[in-house]
Amino acid sequence: MIDYLKHVISESKTGQIPYDDYMNIVLYHPDFGYYMKQKEKIGKGGDFITTSNISNVFGILFADVFLKLFSKVELKPHLCEIGGGNGRFAKAILDQVHSKDPDLYDRLTYTLIESSPYHQSLQQSILETHRGIEQFQSVEDMQKTYPEFNGIIFSNELYDAFPVSVIEKHNNELYEVMVALDNEGKLVERYIPLSNKAILTYLEEQNISLKEKQRFEVPLAMQEHIEKLGIWLNKGIVITVDYGYTNEEWKLPEHSKGSLRGYYKHQLVESALEHPGEMDLTTHIHFDSLVTAGEKSGLNYVTKLRQDRFLLAAGILDYLQEHHDTNPFSEKSKQNRALRSLIMEGSMSAAFHVVIQEKNISIAWDEILTSW
């Protein structure tokens, strides 16, 4: 990966590349990219943990929500999960649908969009007993089979791994942060006056103004992706689960250094230039941008709920088991600890939100949301 980056940077016209190009390479290069490698990434043996892998109840609760939506809304029985990871969430969904509504299960198509061959193989293994499974590498790949989509599109911690542009403000001027090589061949940051029209348009449309020395990530790739989803979706619902901030929250002093960082063997790494190709990179997503980009392509905003409150409304307390088992390693004890970790004050769920958008759906959303 280092050799490849040196080649790309040295071959560029200016001897430097923007951060979104750097992230695309280190995360998604087909041979050297972090997500594309045949290695464990999620869980104890990997570099990070996701909420869907803390407990299968996370998937069970979303399955109950999906079942209610399919019962209340005239929708084609098609679920599309983008970025399905190791397949644990999909298994929890399908197990629950099979148990609670066998008729829907027999009609249901579950599509996983996953760019990583390693994760695709894990999905195939864990879902081998289920029917109606499809796999595609990208939305564009899926569009060859489904020129338009009808149903429910779901993602969990998808957009936080999308490449971003990075900018900073110094001496009342905006600069784009680039990735270059120093005299010793090490990766370093360089600053150039901001001239990227797409970034400038983003700042204008979102009414973003930076304070002195503020660093800010611009999610152009996320915007493009959600706009494409809106165009592709004919009738259905888009549910996005991720951590992030609103435009107002980005103004807070504690966010002045931006949010781009790495996770390496479950340790937070401040510099995104460390361990290229061996480390997960992530940013907090821009919720206002997610909504406005969707609206451009016909996605109507329904609601944004903090994940812990969403899980409580969806019935997570029903799965907390009463027991008198003094063994802290019993299955009941482990499940209860996992569930509490999702809803306790200060838990990781407090940082996550569930965003719901829809297209061509005519229902009383207030009634459905309160019924969860």
Side-chain angles (χ1 to χ4, degrees):
M1 172 58 78
I2 291 291
D3 290 341
Y4 182 77
L5 282 169
K6 288 181 178 179
H7 170 74
V8 171
I9 292 172
S10 62
E11 289 294 311
S12 65
K13 291 182 179 179
T14 59
Q16 54 196 357
I17 59 175
Y19 247 110
D20 55 349
D21 284 354
Y22 169 77
M23 292 178 69
N24 257 322
I25 293 170
V26 299
L27 294 179
Y28 300 104
H29 186 279
D31 298 320
F32 314 126
Y34 174 77
Y35 290 124
M36 310 304 281
K37 290 182 176 179
Q38 298 289 317
K39 59 174 285 188
E40 186 177 358
K41 305 167 189 70
I42 306 170
K44 292 181 180 180
D47 298 291
F48 59 93
I49 189 70
T50 64
T51 49
S52 60
N53 281 269
I54 290 178
S55 170
N56 66 338
V57 173
F58 186 84
I60 289 171
L61 288 169
F62 271 98
D64 291 342
V65 168
F66 295 153
L67 286 168
K68 288 178 183 177
L69 288 173
F70 281 123
S71 69
K72 298 284 186 179
V73 185
E74 188 176 335
L75 278 176
K76 186 175 181 179
H78 196 164
L79 277 170
C80 174
E81 182 185 357
I82 306 180
N86 57 22
R88 281 190 59 181
F89 179 83
K91 185 179 188 305
I93 294 289
L94 292 166
D95 286 348
Q96 181 74 345
V97 173
H98 183 262
S99 172
K100 296 190 71 171
D101 193 337
D103 177 65
L104 176 63
Y105 176 84
D106 288 339
R107 295 182 290 113
L108 183 68
T109 300
Y110 198 108
T111 302
L112 294 127
I113 295 179
E114 177 57 62
S115 60
S116 165
Y118 175 71
H119 281 149
Q120 280 199 338
S121 66
L122 292 181
Q123 293 168 6
Q124 291 165 9
S125 177
I126 198 172
L127 299 173
E128 62 181 357
T129 61
H130 282 290
R131 58 157 304 282
I133 306 297
E134 298 177 331
Q135 288 180 304
F136 296 95
Q137 286 192 319
S138 66
V139 171
E140 290 75 17
D141 188 24
M142 185 174 172
Q143 286 175 326
K144 297 173 185 176
T145 302
Y146 298 96
E148 64 178 24
F149 183 80
N150 296 276
I152 298 175
I153 299 173
F154 175 86
S155 68
N156 180 43
E157 297 186 59
L158 170 71
Y159 291 119
D160 61 78
F162 268 41
V164 293
S165 302
V166 181
I167 62 174
E168 283 191 19
K169 188 173 186 178
H170 294 282
N171 299 318
N172 210 35
E173 297 290 337
L174 292 176
Y175 293 86
E176 183 170 5
V177 185
M178 310 291 280
V179 178
L181 298 167
D182 66 11
N183 293 333
E184 297 178 355
K186 294 181 180 179
L187 295 170
V188 293
E189 293 184 347
R190 296 280 188 257
Y191 298 83
I192 63 171
L194 178 60
S195 60
N196 186 314
K197 292 183 179 179
I199 296 175
L200 292 168
T201 298
Y202 178 90
L203 296 175
E204 181 179 356
E205 289 181 347
Q206 295 296 317
N207 194 26
I208 299 291
S209 59
L210 273 60
K211 296 180 180 179
E212 184 67 16
K213 296 184 180 180
Q214 181 178 355
R215 173 174 283 220
F216 188 77
E217 295 99 19
V218 182
L220 299 179
M222 182 195 75
Q223 270 203 324
E224 181 181 357
H225 190 269
I226 196 68
E227 286 184 26
K228 286 182 178 179
L229 284 188
I231 295 171
W232 179 47
L233 182 65
N234 177 57
K235 178 181 180 181
I237 300 165
V238 179
I239 300 178
T240 304
V241 181
D242 223 319
Y243 47 88
Y245 303 121
T246 63
N247 288 345
E248 283 300 310
E249 289 170 328
W250 279 114
K251 297 177 182 178
L252 298 176
E254 56 263 37
H255 303 147
S256 63
K257 294 183 179 180
S259 66
L260 176 60
R261 65 215 189 270
Y263 280 99
Y264 183 70
K265 298 180 179 179
H266 296 279
Q267 297 296 313
L268 174 66
V269 179
E270 294 289 349
S271 172
L273 303 183
E274 298 289 330
H275 313 293
E278 301 294 331
M279 179 174 72
D280 180 37
L281 293 178
T282 178
T283 63
H284 281 61
I285 75 167
H286 296 235
F287 287 123
D288 290 320
S289 174
L290 181 76
V291 171
T292 57
E295 288 173 342
K296 287 182 179 180
S297 55
L299 290 179
N300 300 310
Y301 171 73
V302 176
T303 190
K304 176 170 76 75
L305 299 169
R306 216 169 77 172
Q307 181 176 275
D308 51 358
R309 295 168 185 167
F310 175 88
L311 295 175
L312 286 168
I316 192 171
L317 294 181
D318 295 338
Y319 292 91
L320 274 171
Q321 302 183 43
E322 293 184 11
H323 64 93
H324 304 285
D325 192 344
T326 58
N327 178 9
F329 302 105
S330 71
E331 289 304 313
K332 288 183 179 180
S333 294
K334 288 190 287 186
Q335 175 167 300
N336 283 346
R337 284 198 301 273
L339 297 186
R340 290 191 183 100
S341 75
L342 289 173
I343 57 175
M344 289 177 62
E345 190 64 34
S347 69
M348 63 186 299
S349 279
F352 284 78
H353 285 79
V354 180
V355 179
I356 302 176
Q357 297 160 290
E358 59 83 12
K359 187 174 182 181
N360 294 326
I361 303 293
S362 299
I363 55 172
W365 275 104
D366 289 343
E367 294 180 12
I368 290 182
L369 295 174
T370 54
S371 71
W372 289 347

